């Protein structure tokens, strides 16, 4: 009874925090809600008996990934107004992609079939000769190895997208202009300069030389003049 109530409580908080991650306008608040979602997911893993996954979720995702996200979001000066400028233009494409993903989820859930031995397996005790970590490793790297690699590719694409969104060219940075170097003139113009011509007559102007201010020499009025008279 207590485990069932705890499961529904943590699940409700997890769903609410996940919704707030997507709907929050402030990215810092989104990361904080993400950390809350990780903690509740870890609690659900503990209730299910997967204590290894719960500890990995807290140590790796909350202690490293989420904290890294928080520092990166707080340190980057992202112009969110500029990022939202093309939202209405790309909204139809996003709606189509979202609809396709929703249909895929419906098809997956519709084709889900529960095993007839599932109720009996839930009542059986866990085997003592196989550790939880060893069992997860066997299943993950044997039966679901291709899905595991696919998840890695999804994370790679998301990392590249984050770099593209936050990368901006700096004005003060100097870059090589290859086109200007290739199309430059390789010939020199020969000009006939008359004898005794000045630089100004040839169109070459020198920059004005700043006038030097005269130095002010401070005279010591007290030198040589005594304040006292002859006695």
């Amino acid at each position: 009874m207590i485990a069932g109530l705890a499961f529904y409580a943590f699940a409700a908080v997890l769903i609410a925090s996940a919704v707030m991650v997507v709907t929050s306008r402030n990215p810092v608040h989104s990361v904080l809600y993400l950390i809350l979602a990780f903690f509740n997911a870890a609690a659900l893993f503990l209730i299910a008996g997967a204590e290894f996954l719960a500890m990995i979720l807290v140590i790796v995702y909350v202690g490293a990934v989420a904290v890294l996200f928080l520092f990166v979001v707080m340190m980057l000066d992202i112009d969110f107004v500029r990022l939202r400028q093309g939202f209405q233009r790309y909204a139809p494409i996003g709606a189509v992609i979202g609809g396709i993903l929703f249909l895929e989820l419906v098809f997956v859930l519709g084709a889900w079939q529960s095993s007839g031995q599932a109720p009996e397996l839930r009542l059986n005790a866990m085997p003592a000769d196989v550790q939880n970590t060893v069992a997860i490793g066997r299943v993950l790297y044997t039966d679901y190895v291709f899905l595991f690699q696919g998840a890695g590719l999804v994370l790679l694409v998301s990392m590249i997208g984050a770099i593209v969104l936050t990368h901006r060219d700096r004005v003060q940075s100097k870059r090589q202009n290859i086109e200007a170097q290739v199309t430059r003139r390789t010939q020199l113009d020969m000009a006939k300069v008359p004898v005794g011509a000045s630089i100004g007559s040839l169109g070459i102007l020198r920059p004005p030389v700043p006038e030097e201010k005269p130095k002010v020499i401070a005279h010591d009025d007290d030198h040589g003049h005594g304040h006292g008279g002859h006695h």
Side-chain angles (χ1 to χ4, degrees):
M1 182 66 180
I2 298 177
L5 293 177
F7 174 81
Y8 287 112
F10 286 120
V13 177
L14 175 61
I15 295 173
S17 58
V19 172
M20 293 302 297
V21 169
V22 181
T23 58
S24 297
R25 294 183 177 272
N26 194 340
V28 178
H29 296 169
S30 298
V31 177
L32 294 177
Y33 283 119
L34 182 63
I35 295 175
L36 179 61
F38 284 154
F39 274 114
N40 287 273
L44 292 179
F45 280 131
L46 284 176
I47 294 174
E51 64 278 357
F52 176 75
L53 292 180
M55 294 299 104
I56 288 297
L57 190 62
V58 173
I59 296 172
V60 177
Y61 283 91
V62 177
V65 178
V67 176
L68 179 62
F69 287 169
L70 184 62
F71 276 98
V72 169
V73 169
M74 293 178 65
M75 292 179 65
L76 288 179
D77 188 12
I78 303 175
D79 190 2
F80 294 98
V81 178
R82 183 180 178 184
L83 292 177
R84 296 191 185 97
Q85 288 179 356
F87 176 77
Q88 296 180 355
R89 182 174 58 181
Y90 297 107
I93 301 176
V96 172
I97 296 175
I100 294 173
L101 293 176
F102 179 74
L103 291 177
E104 290 179 355
L105 291 176
V106 171
F107 290 151
V108 169
L109 294 177
W112 182 273
Q113 294 181 0
S114 179
S115 177
Q117 300 178 356
E120 298 178 359
L121 294 175
R122 290 182 57 189
L123 298 177
N124 292 334
M126 296 179 60
D129 55 344
V130 180
Q131 297 180 359
N132 191 7
T133 307
V134 176
I136 292 174
R138 290 177 180 176
V139 174
L140 185 62
Y141 295 107
T142 54
D143 298 336
Y144 299 99
V145 61
F146 295 106
L147 296 177
F148 181 76
Q149 296 295 330
L153 291 177
V154 171
L155 293 176
L156 177 62
V157 172
S158 62
M159 181 184 69
I160 295 174
I163 294 173
V164 171
L165 289 176
T166 57
H167 179 71
R168 294 190 304 271
D169 294 333
R170 295 184 178 180
V171 181
Q172 63 269 22
S173 61
K174 296 182 181 180
R175 294 185 178 182
Q176 183 180 8
N177 191 353
I178 301 177
E179 182 180 0
Q181 294 179 355
V182 173
T183 58
R184 66 184 180 90
R185 297 179 58 187
T186 58
Q187 298 179 357
L188 298 177
D189 295 334
M190 301 297 294
K192 185 177 180 180
V193 181
V195 180
S198 61
I199 298 178
S201 61
L202 297 178
I204 302 175
L205 301 178
R206 293 181 177 179
V209 180
E211 298 181 357
E212 296 183 358
K213 296 182 179 180
K215 297 181 180 179
V216 179
I217 301 175
H219 298 281
D220 191 1
D221 296 336
D222 297 336
H223 182 71
H225 299 279
H227 291 284
H230 296 282
H231 297 284

